[in-house]
Amino acid sequence: KYTPRPEHRFSFGLWTVGNRGRDPFGAEVRPTLSPVEIVRLLAEVGAWGVNFHDNDLVPIDATPQERDRIVREFRQACEDHGIVVPMATVNLFFDPVFRDGAFTSNDARVRAYALQKTMRAMDLGAELGAKIFVLWGGREGTETDGCRRPDEAIKRLRDAVNFLCEYSLDQGYDYKFALEAKPNEPRADIYFPTTGAYLAFIETLDHPEMVGVNPEVAHETMAGLNFMHAVAQAWEAGKLFHIDLNDQLPGRYDQDFRFGSANPKAAFWLVKFLEDVGYAGPRHFDAHAYRTEDYEGVKDFARGCMRTYLILKEKAERWNADPEIQALLAEIKETDGEAFGKFSKETASALLARQFDRAALASKGLKYERLDQLTMEILLGVR
Ligand code: GLT
Ligand code: MN
Ligand code: MN
Ligand code: MN
């Protein structure tokens, strides 16, 4: 019953299950898996899709011949195992050339190289069927703000995204771009620290309809924010093009934990939101296994992400069908009639003349304690 199926649209990046457990204080603990081996692993655990950065698949120094062979073998593996490629992205953070940014670098040659690398990554993704292109500007930020004015960085990013939208149209790729925010790490401060910042930026682009967001649980949580609220704003704006699911405790380093493992209640509200509104895009797990694990443990990790999602989805159905919860919601809704309607001279003067019994309005208990306890009892498995 909690078995992942293709219609659940669960995807993983090559860099997630392929993560070798290196951290700033220690070396890799797991051997390299080739992209083909990763596809096999994903099929074994029941995933639907695989995503990649250009260099997760094709090394940065590969020859054109090597590139073609790698792509051929990868495509074959995907076909053999029934795995699709919903999303592709570009690595603009690992190579030292990007140490002070890619699209926002002060060096015009670095900005040009970043754009070239991204166009090639778009070619690669399109060749394998990707329709979503994620841009995460991990190095677009600062340690010292002496280096450039942040508004200059914003203009440079706008120029780059505008160029890439035109390239996608010109090539007939039909990409939707999804911008991914993060407040810090690896830079001390990254530009566009939150999903909301990107939502405002998108409206200033030449083709806002082609660009949305890719919110990540960990990133909004690192900023101390309510992730589900950010997702809801993106959804309401028609901009939830992709989502990165994982988990994170606030105030820590970038943890990328198994989905639902740090704050299952927040994960519940998130799953309930996505399912209630009918989000139809990929459920991408941008997370990795603990450094204590071998590849059997990596499978436990990947299965756990999907299983927790499906358990929480079932809990959301249970919540929606619970008579006591529904009775409480109906009671809350009773006081939720039309507030003021559309503006007209008449509605405004009627509103100005209306009398309110503030004390009465403020005196009724809202029963949210009961509502939340019932939620907890569903989550804790006694209801
Ligand atoms: C990196 C980062 C993620 C981004 C990936 C896409 S790479 O792992 O931590 O949040 O989604 O570039
Ligand atoms: Mn991340
Ligand atoms: Mn991410
Ligand atoms: Mn992370």
Side-chain angles (χ1 to χ4, degrees), residues 221-243:
T221 305
M222 285 172 77
L225 302 176
N226 181 318
F227 179 68
M228 194 267 276
H229 291 191
V231 168
Q233 190 187 355
W235 172 262
E236 201 274 339
K239 292 297 183 192
L240 189 65
F241 290 2
H242 199 263
I243 191 164

PDB file of all heavy atoms in Angstrom, residues 221-243:
ATOM      1  N   THR A 221      13.827  26.185   5.493  1.00  0.00           N
ATOM      2  CA  THR A 221      13.950  25.870   6.922  1.00  0.00           C
ATOM      3  C   THR A 221      15.247  26.448   7.494  1.00  0.00           C
ATOM      4  O   THR A 221      15.265  26.914   8.636  1.00  0.00           O
ATOM      5  CB  THR A 221      13.897  24.338   7.125  1.00  0.00           C
ATOM      6  OG1 THR A 221      12.702  23.836   6.518  1.00  0.00           O
ATOM      7  CG2 THR A 221      13.891  23.974   8.599  1.00  0.00           C
ATOM      8  N   MET A 222      16.323  26.423   6.715  1.00  0.00           N
ATOM      9  CA  MET A 222      17.571  27.044   7.173  1.00  0.00           C
ATOM     10  C   MET A 222      17.367  28.522   7.495  1.00  0.00           C
ATOM     11  O   MET A 222      17.999  29.078   8.379  1.00  0.00           O
ATOM     12  CB  MET A 222      18.659  26.918   6.094  1.00  0.00           C
ATOM     13  CG  MET A 222      19.254  25.531   5.981  1.00  0.00           C
ATOM     14  SD  MET A 222      20.340  25.413   4.548  1.00  0.00           S
ATOM     15  CE  MET A 222      21.806  26.266   5.158  1.00  0.00           C
ATOM     16  N   ALA A 223      16.464  29.157   6.709  1.00  0.00           N
ATOM     17  CA  ALA A 223      16.183  30.577   6.933  1.00  0.00           C
ATOM     18  C   ALA A 223      15.169  30.782   8.057  1.00  0.00           C
ATOM     19  O   ALA A 223      14.781  31.915   8.339  1.00  0.00           O
ATOM     20  CB  ALA A 223      15.663  31.205   5.634  1.00  0.00           C
ATOM     21  N   GLY A 224      14.739  29.682   8.682  1.00  0.00           N
ATOM     22  CA  GLY A 224      13.809  29.801   9.804  1.00  0.00           C
ATOM     23  C   GLY A 224      12.372  30.054   9.376  1.00  0.00           C
ATOM     24  O   GLY A 224      11.555  30.514  10.164  1.00  0.00           O
ATOM     25  N   LEU A 225      12.076  29.743   8.109  1.00  0.00           N
ATOM     26  CA  LEU A 225      10.750  30.056   7.578  1.00  0.00           C
ATOM     27  C   LEU A 225       9.865  28.819   7.505  1.00  0.00           C
ATOM     28  O   LEU A 225      10.344  27.691   7.585  1.00  0.00           O
ATOM     29  CB  LEU A 225      10.896  30.666   6.181  1.00  0.00           C
ATOM     30  CG  LEU A 225      11.750  31.937   6.122  1.00  0.00           C
ATOM     31  CD1 LEU A 225      11.918  32.397   4.693  1.00  0.00           C
ATOM     32  CD2 LEU A 225      11.154  33.037   6.986  1.00  0.00           C
ATOM     33  N   ASN A 226       8.577  29.036   7.318  1.00  0.00           N
ATOM     34  CA  ASN A 226       7.608  27.957   7.148  1.00  0.00           C
ATOM     35  C   ASN A 226       7.613  27.565   5.670  1.00  0.00           C
ATOM     36  O   ASN A 226       7.131  28.310   4.810  1.00  0.00           O
ATOM     37  CB  ASN A 226       6.223  28.439   7.591  1.00  0.00           C
ATOM     38  CG  ASN A 226       5.162  27.353   7.463  1.00  0.00           C
ATOM     39  OD1 ASN A 226       5.121  26.608   6.490  1.00  0.00           O
ATOM     40  ND2 ASN A 226       4.289  27.274   8.458  1.00  0.00           N
ATOM     41  N   PHE A 227       8.164  26.402   5.384  1.00  0.00           N
ATOM     42  CA  PHE A 227       8.328  25.979   3.984  1.00  0.00           C
ATOM     43  C   PHE A 227       6.997  25.890   3.262  1.00  0.00           C
ATOM     44  O   PHE A 227       6.856  26.326   2.115  1.00  0.00           O
ATOM     45  CB  PHE A 227       9.051  24.635   3.927  1.00  0.00           C
ATOM     46  CG  PHE A 227       9.231  24.125   2.524  1.00  0.00           C
ATOM     47  CD1 PHE A 227      10.087  24.772   1.648  1.00  0.00           C
ATOM     48  CD2 PHE A 227       8.552  23.007   2.070  1.00  0.00           C
ATOM     49  CE1 PHE A 227      10.264  24.318   0.347  1.00  0.00           C
ATOM     50  CE2 PHE A 227       8.717  22.543   0.768  1.00  0.00           C
ATOM     51  CZ  PHE A 227       9.572  23.203  -0.090  1.00  0.00           C
ATOM     52  N   MET A 228       6.005  25.309   3.919  1.00  0.00           N
ATOM     53  CA  MET A 228       4.714  25.106   3.254  1.00  0.00           C
ATOM     54  C   MET A 228       4.111  26.441   2.833  1.00  0.00           C
ATOM     55  O   MET A 228       3.462  26.527   1.782  1.00  0.00           O
ATOM     56  CB  MET A 228       3.785  24.315   4.171  1.00  0.00           C
ATOM     57  CG  MET A 228       2.564  23.758   3.497  1.00  0.00           C
ATOM     58  SD  MET A 228       1.181  24.887   3.638  1.00  0.00           S
ATOM     59  CE  MET A 228       0.579  24.426   5.249  1.00  0.00           C
ATOM     60  N   HIS A 229       4.329  27.486   3.617  1.00  0.00           N
ATOM     61  CA  HIS A 229       3.797  28.793   3.243  1.00  0.00           C
ATOM     62  C   HIS A 229       4.461  29.302   1.960  1.00  0.00           C
ATOM     63  O   HIS A 229       3.805  29.913   1.099  1.00  0.00           O
ATOM     64  CB  HIS A 229       3.993  29.802   4.368  1.00  0.00           C
ATOM     65  CG  HIS A 229       3.151  29.526   5.583  1.00  0.00           C
ATOM     66  ND1 HIS A 229       2.999  30.422   6.607  1.00  0.00           N
ATOM     67  CD2 HIS A 229       2.411  28.435   5.925  1.00  0.00           C
ATOM     68  CE1 HIS A 229       2.202  29.916   7.542  1.00  0.00           C
ATOM     69  NE2 HIS A 229       1.836  28.704   7.151  1.00  0.00           N
ATOM     70  N   ALA A 230       5.753  29.058   1.827  1.00  0.00           N
ATOM     71  CA  ALA A 230       6.457  29.471   0.606  1.00  0.00           C
ATOM     72  C   ALA A 230       5.930  28.695  -0.593  1.00  0.00           C
ATOM     73  O   ALA A 230       5.705  29.252  -1.679  1.00  0.00           O
ATOM     74  CB  ALA A 230       7.966  29.249   0.768  1.00  0.00           C
ATOM     75  N   VAL A 231       5.712  27.398  -0.398  1.00  0.00           N
ATOM     76  CA  VAL A 231       5.172  26.553  -1.469  1.00  0.00           C
ATOM     77  C   VAL A 231       3.782  27.038  -1.868  1.00  0.00           C
ATOM     78  O   VAL A 231       3.432  27.100  -3.054  1.00  0.00           O
ATOM     79  CB  VAL A 231       5.143  25.084  -1.007  1.00  0.00           C
ATOM     80  CG1 VAL A 231       4.341  24.217  -1.960  1.00  0.00           C
ATOM     81  CG2 VAL A 231       6.570  24.552  -0.870  1.00  0.00           C
ATOM     82  N   ALA A 232       2.994  27.387  -0.856  1.00  0.00           N
ATOM     83  CA  ALA A 232       1.628  27.843  -1.133  1.00  0.00           C
ATOM     84  C   ALA A 232       1.636  29.136  -1.941  1.00  0.00           C
ATOM     85  O   ALA A 232       0.830  29.308  -2.869  1.00  0.00           O
ATOM     86  CB  ALA A 232       0.868  28.040   0.182  1.00  0.00           C
ATOM     87  N   GLN A 233       2.555  30.033  -1.616  1.00  0.00           N
ATOM     88  CA  GLN A 233       2.612  31.282  -2.379  1.00  0.00           C
ATOM     89  C   GLN A 233       3.008  31.004  -3.830  1.00  0.00           C
ATOM     90  O   GLN A 233       2.443  31.578  -4.769  1.00  0.00           O
ATOM     91  CB  GLN A 233       3.591  32.278  -1.742  1.00  0.00           C
ATOM     92  CG  GLN A 233       3.471  33.653  -2.389  1.00  0.00           C
ATOM     93  CD  GLN A 233       4.509  34.655  -1.937  1.00  0.00           C
ATOM     94  OE1 GLN A 233       5.309  34.380  -1.037  1.00  0.00           O
ATOM     95  NE2 GLN A 233       4.511  35.815  -2.566  1.00  0.00           N
ATOM     96  N   ALA A 234       3.974  30.104  -4.000  1.00  0.00           N
ATOM     97  CA  ALA A 234       4.394  29.742  -5.358  1.00  0.00           C
ATOM     98  C   ALA A 234       3.231  29.100  -6.112  1.00  0.00           C
ATOM     99  O   ALA A 234       2.969  29.413  -7.280  1.00  0.00           O
ATOM    100  CB  ALA A 234       5.585  28.790  -5.297  1.00  0.00           C
ATOM    101  N   TRP A 235       2.529  28.216  -5.449  1.00  0.00           N
ATOM    102  CA  TRP A 235       1.388  27.538  -6.080  1.00  0.00           C
ATOM    103  C   TRP A 235       0.325  28.545  -6.502  1.00  0.00           C
ATOM    104  O   TRP A 235      -0.183  28.516  -7.627  1.00  0.00           O
ATOM    105  CB  TRP A 235       0.787  26.502  -5.120  1.00  0.00           C
ATOM    106  CG  TRP A 235      -0.471  25.928  -5.650  1.00  0.00           C
ATOM    107  CD1 TRP A 235      -1.754  26.299  -5.324  1.00  0.00           C
ATOM    108  CD2 TRP A 235      -0.595  24.917  -6.661  1.00  0.00           C
ATOM    109  NE1 TRP A 235      -2.658  25.566  -6.049  1.00  0.00           N
ATOM    110  CE2 TRP A 235      -1.972  24.715  -6.880  1.00  0.00           C
ATOM    111  CE3 TRP A 235       0.333  24.158  -7.376  1.00  0.00           C
ATOM    112  CZ2 TRP A 235      -2.453  23.786  -7.807  1.00  0.00           C
ATOM    113  CZ3 TRP A 235      -0.140  23.232  -8.300  1.00  0.00           C
ATOM    114  CH2 TRP A 235      -1.511  23.058  -8.508  1.00  0.00           C
ATOM    115  N   GLU A 236       0.000  29.440  -5.586  1.00  0.00           N
ATOM    116  CA  GLU A 236      -1.074  30.406  -5.841  1.00  0.00           C
ATOM    117  C   GLU A 236      -0.712  31.329  -7.002  1.00  0.00           C
ATOM    118  O   GLU A 236      -1.588  31.795  -7.735  1.00  0.00           O
ATOM    119  CB  GLU A 236      -1.341  31.198  -4.539  1.00  0.00           C
ATOM    120  CG  GLU A 236      -2.697  31.856  -4.458  1.00  0.00           C
ATOM    121  CD  GLU A 236      -2.724  33.226  -5.096  1.00  0.00           C
ATOM    122  OE1 GLU A 236      -1.643  33.855  -5.252  1.00  0.00           O
ATOM    123  OE2 GLU A 236      -3.832  33.686  -5.438  1.00  0.00           O
ATOM    124  N   ALA A 237       0.587  31.552  -7.179  1.00  0.00           N
ATOM    125  CA  ALA A 237       1.050  32.405  -8.286  1.00  0.00           C
ATOM    126  C   ALA A 237       1.222  31.607  -9.579  1.00  0.00           C
ATOM    127  O   ALA A 237       1.674  32.150 -10.592  1.00  0.00           O
ATOM    128  CB  ALA A 237       2.373  33.068  -7.894  1.00  0.00           C
ATOM    129  N   GLY A 238       0.905  30.308  -9.557  1.00  0.00           N
ATOM    130  CA  GLY A 238       1.089  29.471 -10.745  1.00  0.00           C
ATOM    131  C   GLY A 238       2.549  29.215 -11.047  1.00  0.00           C
ATOM    132  O   GLY A 238       2.931  29.003 -12.210  1.00  0.00           O
ATOM    133  N   LYS A 239       3.394  29.231 -10.024  1.00  0.00           N
ATOM    134  CA  LYS A 239       4.845  29.164 -10.229  1.00  0.00           C
ATOM    135  C   LYS A 239       5.517  27.944  -9.601  1.00  0.00           C
ATOM    136  O   LYS A 239       6.750  27.880  -9.561  1.00  0.00           O
ATOM    137  CB  LYS A 239       5.500  30.431  -9.646  1.00  0.00           C
ATOM    138  CG  LYS A 239       5.154  31.692 -10.413  1.00  0.00           C
ATOM    139  CD  LYS A 239       5.680  31.615 -11.821  1.00  0.00           C
ATOM    140  CE  LYS A 239       5.423  32.868 -12.628  1.00  0.00           C
ATOM    141  NZ  LYS A 239       5.712  32.625 -14.067  1.00  0.00           N
ATOM    142  N   LEU A 240       4.731  26.993  -9.125  1.00  0.00           N
ATOM    143  CA  LEU A 240       5.352  25.815  -8.516  1.00  0.00           C
ATOM    144  C   LEU A 240       5.681  24.808  -9.629  1.00  0.00           C
ATOM    145  O   LEU A 240       4.936  23.873  -9.879  1.00  0.00           O
ATOM    146  CB  LEU A 240       4.431  25.198  -7.456  1.00  0.00           C
ATOM    147  CG  LEU A 240       5.081  24.097  -6.607  1.00  0.00           C
ATOM    148  CD1 LEU A 240       6.220  24.668  -5.767  1.00  0.00           C
ATOM    149  CD2 LEU A 240       4.058  23.420  -5.709  1.00  0.00           C
ATOM    150  N   PHE A 241       6.821  25.016 -10.267  1.00  0.00           N
ATOM    151  CA  PHE A 241       7.203  24.183 -11.416  1.00  0.00           C
ATOM    152  C   PHE A 241       7.920  22.903 -10.991  1.00  0.00           C
ATOM    153  O   PHE A 241       8.028  21.957 -11.765  1.00  0.00           O
ATOM    154  CB  PHE A 241       8.121  24.975 -12.361  1.00  0.00           C
ATOM    155  CG  PHE A 241       7.430  26.084 -13.115  1.00  0.00           C
ATOM    156  CD1 PHE A 241       6.083  26.376 -12.913  1.00  0.00           C
ATOM    157  CD2 PHE A 241       8.131  26.841 -14.049  1.00  0.00           C
ATOM    158  CE1 PHE A 241       5.446  27.397 -13.621  1.00  0.00           C
ATOM    159  CE2 PHE A 241       7.506  27.860 -14.764  1.00  0.00           C
ATOM    160  CZ  PHE A 241       6.171  28.137 -14.541  1.00  0.00           C
ATOM    161  N   HIS A 242       8.452  22.873  -9.783  1.00  0.00           N
ATOM    162  CA  HIS A 242       9.236  21.723  -9.313  1.00  0.00           C
ATOM    163  C   HIS A 242       9.346  21.861  -7.803  1.00  0.00           C
ATOM    164  O   HIS A 242       9.070  22.940  -7.265  1.00  0.00           O
ATOM    165  CB  HIS A 242      10.631  21.758  -9.960  1.00  0.00           C
ATOM    166  CG  HIS A 242      11.371  20.449  -9.932  1.00  0.00           C
ATOM    167  ND1 HIS A 242      12.300  20.140  -8.976  1.00  0.00           N
ATOM    168  CD2 HIS A 242      11.310  19.378 -10.757  1.00  0.00           C
ATOM    169  CE1 HIS A 242      12.785  18.922  -9.227  1.00  0.00           C
ATOM    170  NE2 HIS A 242      12.202  18.437 -10.304  1.00  0.00           N
ATOM    171  N   ILE A 243       9.717  20.776  -7.106  1.00  0.00           N
ATOM    172  CA  ILE A 243       9.895  20.898  -5.650  1.00  0.00           C
ATOM    173  C   ILE A 243      10.997  19.959  -5.196  1.00  0.00           C
ATOM    174  O   ILE A 243      11.124  18.844  -5.712  1.00  0.00           O
ATOM    175  CB  ILE A 243       8.560  20.629  -4.905  1.00  0.00           C
ATOM    176  CG1 ILE A 243       8.667  21.028  -3.429  1.00  0.00           C
ATOM    177  CG2 ILE A 243       8.112  19.168  -5.044  1.00  0.00           C
ATOM    178  CD1 ILE A 243       7.325  21.149  -2.732  1.00  0.00           C
TER     179      ILE A 243
END
